[in-house]
Amino acid sequence: MLTHTGEKKYECTECDASFKLSSSLKRHMLTHTGEKKHACNECSAMFSRSGDLKRHMLTHTGEKKHACNECSAMFSRSGELKRHMSTHTREKKYECTECDAILKLSSYLRRHMLTHTGEKMHLCNECGTKFLRSGDLKQHMLTHTGEKKHACNECGARFLRLCHLKQHMLTHTGEKKHACNECGARFLRPGHLKQHMLTHTGEKKYECTECDASFKLSSNLKQHMLTHTGEKKHACNECGARFLRSVHLKRHMSTHTGKKKYPGRVIPKTLKLAI
């Protein structure tokens, strides 16, 4: 009947809050006393409410009792199921005031708005780099910790990112799913296909700011720029000689190791005389 009358006769003595039920008042009082009497038997976590403890226990049991009626997805919490259901209904009710984008969730809209404001609020404590998203910061932190948690089951190689592991797995399966529409050539990675397509289009979009040279690949432009800056970043550990390119260093290293580039090859007499 209280839902009809709206009467809230249970008043908090600490603040102005009032409640319809005494049980609601008891739960509220915990926010003032700070009492956490609901303990987790698996770890030392304590909670003010029994409902909070029940939700916490799911992190130990892994129980997912909230099922999606549209697909086989299962979730630990009802809120997660509601968010998932929007992927089926395609409901998009959060509109961006800057552009025509419409997002499913308010959290998606908040992240989207950062693309307009340019605000990077996720800061790396190691180097000071800022990121738009927390996920980007987490990936970046791996470059500091060096943790490579994605392992290949075939050869044991480990990688910082899952996408790198997926690319590596193609070297075992040999699958080349990226096909050229012009000549039918197939490639392991989409980047390799993009580079290959330049052989058909002949486009050289990477231009040198110092001279009129232009290149198909950004890596070729970077190498070319060294001819202007004179930077020789490839150093020999044996004698300290420095080179513009890594291939020049490799050739130089053979002068220390004595390793012949073409072992076992017989040099013609005429070539010997020319040498």
Side-chain angles (χ1 to χ4, degrees):
M1 292 301 295
L2 293 175
T3 61
H4 295 295
T5 63
E7 181 185 2
K8 296 181 180 180
K9 62 180 180 178
Y10 298 97
E11 298 180 354
C12 174
T13 58
E14 300 291 333
C15 65
D16 296 333
S18 59
F19 302 90
K20 296 176 182 178
L21 306 177
S22 60
S23 58
S24 301
L25 174 60
K26 289 179 182 179
R27 286 197 297 268
H28 168 76
M29 290 306 295
L30 295 175
T31 62
H32 294 296
T33 62
E35 181 185 1
K36 296 181 179 180
K37 60 182 180 179
H38 301 282
C40 174
N41 296 326
E42 298 291 334
C43 63
S44 58
M46 298 288 293
F47 300 90
S48 301
R49 303 179 182 181
S50 59
D52 295 338
L53 174 60
K54 288 180 181 179
R55 286 194 293 270
H56 167 77
M57 290 305 296
L58 295 175
T59 63
H60 295 297
T61 62
E63 180 186 1
K64 296 181 179 180
K65 60 181 180 180
H66 300 281
C68 173
N69 295 327
E70 299 292 332
C71 64
S72 58
M74 301 286 291
F75 301 91
S76 301
R77 300 181 182 181
S78 59
E80 294 172 350
L81 174 60
K82 288 179 181 178
R83 286 195 294 270
H84 167 77
M85 290 304 295
S86 66
T87 63
H88 294 298
T89 60
R90 301 300 179 190
E91 181 182 1
K92 298 180 179 181
K93 57 183 179 181
Y94 297 97
E95 298 183 2
C96 174
T97 56
E98 299 292 332
C99 64
D100 297 331
I102 303 176
L103 292 308
K104 299 174 186 176
L105 305 177
S106 60
S107 58
Y108 293 170
L109 176 60
R110 285 195 293 270
R111 287 199 296 267
H112 168 77
M113 290 306 294
L114 295 176
T115 62
H116 294 297
T117 63
E119 180 185 1
K120 296 181 179 180
M121 59 183 180
H122 300 283
L123 174 68
C124 173
N125 295 325
E126 297 291 333
C127 64
T129 308
K130 292 184 177 182
F131 298 89
L132 286 174
R133 302 180 181 180
S134 59
D136 295 338
L137 174 59
K138 288 179 181 178
Q139 290 288 347
H140 167 77
M141 289 306 294
L142 296 176
T143 62
H144 293 298
T145 62
E147 180 186 1
K148 297 180 179 180
K149 60 181 180 180
H150 302 286
C152 173
N153 295 326
E154 298 291 333
C155 65
R158 304 187 70 87
F159 301 89
L160 288 174
R161 300 185 180 183
L162 178 61
C163 60
H164 295 166
L165 173 60
K166 289 180 179 179
Q167 289 177 349
H168 166 78
M169 290 305 295
L170 296 175
T171 62
H172 293 297
T173 61
E175 180 186 2
K176 296 181 178 180
K177 60 181 180 180
H178 302 283
C180 173
N181 295 327
E182 298 290 332
C183 64
R186 304 186 71 85
F187 301 89
L188 288 174
R189 301 180 182 180
H192 295 167
L193 174 59
K194 288 181 181 178
Q195 290 179 353
H196 166 78
M197 290 305 295
L198 294 175
T199 62
H200 294 297
T201 62
E203 180 186 2
K204 295 181 178 181
K205 60 180 180 179
Y206 298 99
E207 298 180 354
C208 174
T209 57
E210 300 292 333
C211 65
D212 297 332
S214 59
F215 302 90
K216 295 177 181 178
L217 306 178
S218 60
S219 57
N220 293 343
L221 174 59
K222 289 178 181 178
Q223 289 178 349
H224 167 77
M225 290 305 294
L226 296 176
T227 62
H228 293 296
T229 62
E231 180 187 359
K232 297 181 179 180
K233 60 182 181 179
H234 301 283
C236 173
N237 295 327
E238 298 292 333
C239 65
R242 304 187 69 87
F243 301 90
L244 287 175
R245 300 184 181 182
S246 59
V247 291
H248 296 166
L249 174 59
K250 289 179 182 178
R251 285 199 292 266
H252 166 77
M253 289 304 294
S254 65
T255 62
H256 294 296
T257 61
K259 182 180 179 181
K260 296 181 179 179
K261 188 174 181 180
Y262 303 103
R265 177 177 292 183
V266 178
I267 301 176
K269 184 181 292 185
T270 53
L271 182 56
K272 287 182 180 180
L273 293 174
I275 295 173

